[in-house]
Amino acid sequence: MKKLFYSLFLVAMTAMTLTSCEDVPAPFDIPNTSSDTPGEAAEPKGSGTQDDPYNVAAAIEYTEQLAAGAESDRDIFIKGKISSIRESYTSQYGNGSFYISDDGTSGHQFLIYRALYLGNKKYSEGQTQIEVGDEVIICGRVTNYNGTLETQQNKAFLYSLNGVTAGGGGGGQTGTPTGDGTLANPYNAAGANAYTSGLAADVESDKDIYIKGKIAKIANNGEFSASYGNASFYISDDGTESGSTFYVFRTYYLNNKKWTSGDSQIKVGDEVVICGRVVNYRGNTPETVQNKSYIYSLNGSGGGGGGTPQPQPGEGTGSGTLADPWNAVAANAFASSLASGAETDQDYYIKGKIAKIANNGTFSAQYGNASFYISDDGTDDNTFYVFRTLYLGNQKWADGDTQIKVGDEVIICGRLTNYMGNTPETVQNKSYIYSLNGSTTGGSGGGGGGEQTGAGSYSEPYSVSAAIAAAEASGVYVKGYIVGYVEGQVYTEGAHFSATGDNVSTTNVLLAGSPSETSAANCIPVQLPKGEIRDKLNLSQNAGNLGKEVLLYGDVTKYFSVPGLKNTSYAEINGTTVGSKP
């Protein structure tokens, strides 16, 4: 009993001691708390982007949601005022640690832990030092480290210090991001840094971007060499290192080719436009991906190889349609934006003159395809690679067909790909010459499928070839001849040019520009919906429709993976109408 009484006495004494010492400061700082009266936290604001940074309250709220020890899967931007400094920036480690809050007081703080300096670089002697009260924007990864909300060591940097976004020490330029990364409006160095910093660590961009600037420093004296054909350098807006620089790492030369002896060499001050993939290397170094970028233009000139680059024939033009084909520049830009190895899900049109026939690869009867480069003016400047393309009418070339030559004007129709992530080109055997020197037919094969006519209206319906060219069009009229049907699931193998057979389809017919057409490439399949349209048009029950001209209303869209007609709701055939006229 005595021991029990003594124990209770000790507990009471301990409680009294702790109560009487409540004004003694804690032995170390506890993040997001303060010995001062913290007051009310600010209302969380912002979205964590460069244009709309989180305030500190929002950064706390965001980071609290992370699992213990986990870091964010992206960089975020946080804006606040320095409330206390834990470790000033030093040239030894190049980073610093400090707390920020929304009002600059020690209440409701967020720990900026070992963050790099302006421009996402290590601090160096002589650069501006941080002070309590400075307004900053931080960019980087954050973590919930055992309950401490902070930035991840060396994975965040001082994006802005009192309004200056890069430089320090020497005054530097502000480095305001500009551009949207397109050929028409390239990023500047600051814009490229901001875009790339937003990528997950070591994940490369899913498209090529364009960056414009002047060479500020050539890394490790690493000019282009014939050994590797690439080079590494930094670019900035004005060609100095005092502003925001972007690291162009092991980039190829003009025309996305390796540099060779005799090509012009780069130097500090040269103005360049870079095209390629970028990566946030290790989560803290924005740069281009090795051998997946190239110099698009050097001091205003494009093309490449063999001495002084020649002037560019022009910027990208066109929309990729038959009415407004891309030129080679635009086709390169579009295909370069595709993920590595991905191909387009539809056909596009490209117009140009043959500049070079690859590996003497004119059309041959063995393979029926050919490979060549096209450009605006038939020279080697700004070329696009047409790889193993088929002939007119989307058919294989045959002996007796007209052969191609340098200088021929062509329109190419087909799928595009970004081969290996660095070679924009057409997809093998998934493109063809739509027109050759103005002709859409030619040679012994005939091909072409007829002239393109009509506007898709009742009075001016699309011809079959115009419908093929349109690829996608809702609520249009198409006129042609019923020449067969498709059996099974594979279009070219299942096309039958008759009204007889064991399995004549009741669900589709083939439409062509001529009643004697026998090439599936020159036809469109027409889906016949249940009801009167199917009952009156299918060849299984209406063999006499073979070779008859018909006017149809529906949607031009993919059918059997080729341009076709679906949702058919009206037809005129043999002087009678079927369905309801729109």
Side-chain angles (χ1 to χ4, degrees), residues 133-310:
D134 283 344
E135 185 175 78
V136 296
I137 297 176
I138 306 299
C139 174
R141 303 299 165 98
V142 295
T143 183
N144 187 351
Y145 181 70
N146 293 330
T148 301
L149 312 181
E150 60 184 44
T151 57
Q152 192 74 283
Q153 178 176 342
N154 289 333
K155 288 190 177 182
F157 68 98
L158 191 59
Y159 175 76
S160 166
L161 176 61
N162 295 319
V164 176
T165 54
Q173 60 186 25
T174 60
T176 303
T178 62
D180 59 13
T182 62
L183 175 59
N185 188 26
Y187 286 131
N188 67 350
N193 274 318
Y195 171 83
T196 311
S197 294
L199 301 173
D202 298 320
V203 174
E204 66 181 68
S205 60
D206 60 0
K207 63 179 181 178
D208 288 350
I209 65 169
Y210 290 82
I211 314 162
K212 185 175 183 179
K214 293 182 178 179
I215 297 177
K217 179 184 178 182
I218 298 175
N220 305 317
N221 295 317
E223 296 178 325
F224 282 101
S225 69
S227 299
Y228 300 105
N230 59 32
S232 300
F233 48 87
Y234 295 88
I235 61 174
S236 66
D237 287 351
D238 59 1
T240 69
E241 293 183 71
S242 61
S244 180
T245 60
F246 183 81
Y247 190 26
V248 180
F249 180 63
R250 296 185 180 172
T251 192
Y252 281 141
Y253 195 61
L254 290 161
N255 254 1
N256 202 10
K257 297 177 180 177
K258 290 185 176 182
W259 184 92
T260 58
S261 296
D263 289 334
S264 299
Q265 192 55 266
I266 55 171
K267 63 185 183 300
V268 171
D270 282 344
E271 184 177 76
V272 294
V273 175
I274 304 298
C275 175
R277 303 298 165 101
V278 293
V279 64
N280 193 5
Y281 180 64
R282 292 189 175 178
N284 59 21
T285 306
E287 61 185 39
T288 55
V289 179
Q290 177 177 342
N291 293 338
K292 288 190 178 181
S293 75
Y294 65 99
I295 296 180
Y296 174 80
S297 77
L298 176 61
N299 295 319
S301 296
T308 305
Q310 299 301 309

Side-chain angles (χ1 to χ4, degrees), residues 15-82:
M16 290 175 64
T17 303
L18 289 173
T19 302
S20 62
C21 294
E22 64 184 10
D23 293 331
V24 177
F28 51 82
D29 291 335
I30 301 174
N32 308 317
T33 65
S34 170
S35 58
D36 297 335
T37 303
E40 292 186 7
E43 180 184 348
K45 295 180 180 178
S47 57
T49 63
Q50 176 191 324
D51 295 330
D52 185 30
Y54 284 139
N55 66 354
V56 174
I60 291 172
E61 184 178 75
Y62 173 84
T63 312
E64 282 177 335
Q65 306 305 312
L66 299 174
E71 69 175 65
S72 60
D73 60 359
R74 64 184 176 93
D75 288 349
I76 63 169
F77 289 80
I78 314 167
K79 185 175 183 179
K81 291 183 179 180
I82 296 178

Side-chain angles (χ1 to χ4, degrees), residues 418-488:
N418 191 7
Y419 180 68
M420 299 291 287
N422 59 21
T423 307
E425 60 185 41
T426 56
V427 180
Q428 178 177 343
N429 290 333
K430 290 189 179 181
S431 75
Y432 66 99
I433 296 181
Y434 171 78
S435 80
L436 176 62
N437 295 319
S439 176
T440 57
T441 61
S444 61
E451 293 301 314
Q452 291 184 37
T453 59
S457 64
Y458 179 77
S459 59
E460 294 182 71
Y462 277 146
S463 63
V464 170
S465 57
I468 292 172
E472 294 283 342
S474 298
V476 294
Y477 286 91
V478 181
K479 193 173 187 178
Y481 296 89
I482 297 176
V483 294
Y485 62 94
V486 181
E487 178 185 353

